[in-house]
Amino acid sequence: MVKKLYITAGLLAGLVSVTACSGTQAALTPAAPAMSVSTAGTPAGEPDPNATESSPPGDIPDNTAFVPYRAKLYEIKVPEGWARTDLPAGASFTDKLNSVKIELRPAASAPTAETAKQKEVPALQSAGGNFTLKKIETVDRKGGQAVRLVYQVDSPPNPVTGKVIRDDAERYEFSGNGQEAVLTLTGPAGSDNVDPWRLVSDSFTWL
């Protein structure tokens, strides 16, 4: 009887030993690291493919190609792929929130900063759109000297949403061949389009 109790106790001791060892091993095994997940469901540190672009919506991409547009009396470079609309005295090119418009009109004399102040500014003010003049100056471009007006104006309401956007605008008036070419560049206020606009205005030339 004593021997039987001894064996039972031995077996019990072995079970306790195995259980203890198993518990120790589980305690030493490190837990799998928790993965940090962003609110959009993308692991932290990786780019979110659904994230909104940080560039302002009116910025013209740096990789935009510019192609020549030729009319009867002039040529100018415009962004490739922009939608063109023919106008009675010229054409406009638009893409999203930006536009390039070029129009011709008869001119008995070359425009000056003073004539622009006396005639063009009142006309732009009367057209509405909360016109705000920033600068009038005479500038040199490859196609010749031009009067440059820098201003802000509200865009026409979006035909679908009715939303109005505040635009930055540059207007160039070139003179030649008894004509005046009026180049107007617009884009959302705050957009960084200095280089594209300079390229377009620098590309104008009389034929």
Side-chain angles (χ1 to χ4, degrees):
M1 183 68 177
V2 173
K3 184 176 181 180
K4 186 176 181 179
L5 289 175
Y6 173 78
I7 294 173
T8 302
L11 290 173
L12 180 61
L15 291 174
V16 172
S17 176
V18 171
T19 303
C21 289
S22 299
T24 302
Q25 184 175 3
L28 292 176
T29 303
M35 180 177 289
S36 176
V37 179
S38 66
T39 56
T42 303
E46 295 183 12
D48 182 357
N50 299 315
T52 302
E53 294 182 3
S54 58
S55 300
D59 277 10
I60 298 173
D62 293 338
N63 61 352
T64 299
F66 291 80
V67 296
Y69 168 75
R70 175 170 288 201
K72 184 177 181 180
L73 298 176
Y74 65 86
E75 182 176 289
I76 191 170
K77 287 185 177 180
V78 297
E80 185 176 29
W82 285 23
R84 182 180 121 193
T85 301
D86 291 326
L87 304 173
S92 68
F93 304 84
T94 57
D95 179 68
K96 299 177 182 177
L97 304 176
N98 293 286
S99 72
V100 173
K101 183 170 70 172
I102 179 78
E103 295 179 288
L104 288 182
R105 62 189 183 187
S109 59
T112 65
E114 187 60 31
T115 59
K117 183 177 180 180
Q118 294 176 357
K119 298 179 180 180
E120 306 305 331
V121 171
L124 291 169
Q125 288 175 329
S126 64
N130 193 22
F131 172 85
T132 303
L133 179 66
K134 298 293 184 180
K135 183 191 299 184
I136 299 179
E137 61 183 353
T138 301
V139 297
D140 290 320
R141 291 292 185 264
K142 293 178 181 179
Q145 197 173 73
V147 175
R148 175 175 177 254
L149 288 80
V150 180
Y151 57 94
Q152 286 190 332
V153 66
D154 291 344
S155 71
N158 183 288
V160 177
T161 66
K163 185 177 181 180
V164 173
I165 296 175
R166 190 65 172 166
D167 280 340
D168 285 331
E170 290 187 10
R171 177 187 173 104
Y172 294 83
E173 298 176 357
F174 296 90
S175 178
N177 305 319
Q179 298 283 323
E180 186 174 282
V182 180
L183 170 65
T184 305
L185 310 167
T186 62
S191 301
D192 183 12
N193 289 329
V194 174
D195 291 339
W197 285 2
R198 178 59 188 256
L199 188 155
V200 172
S201 62
D202 234 1
S203 72
F204 176 85
T205 183
W206 293 104
L207 299 177

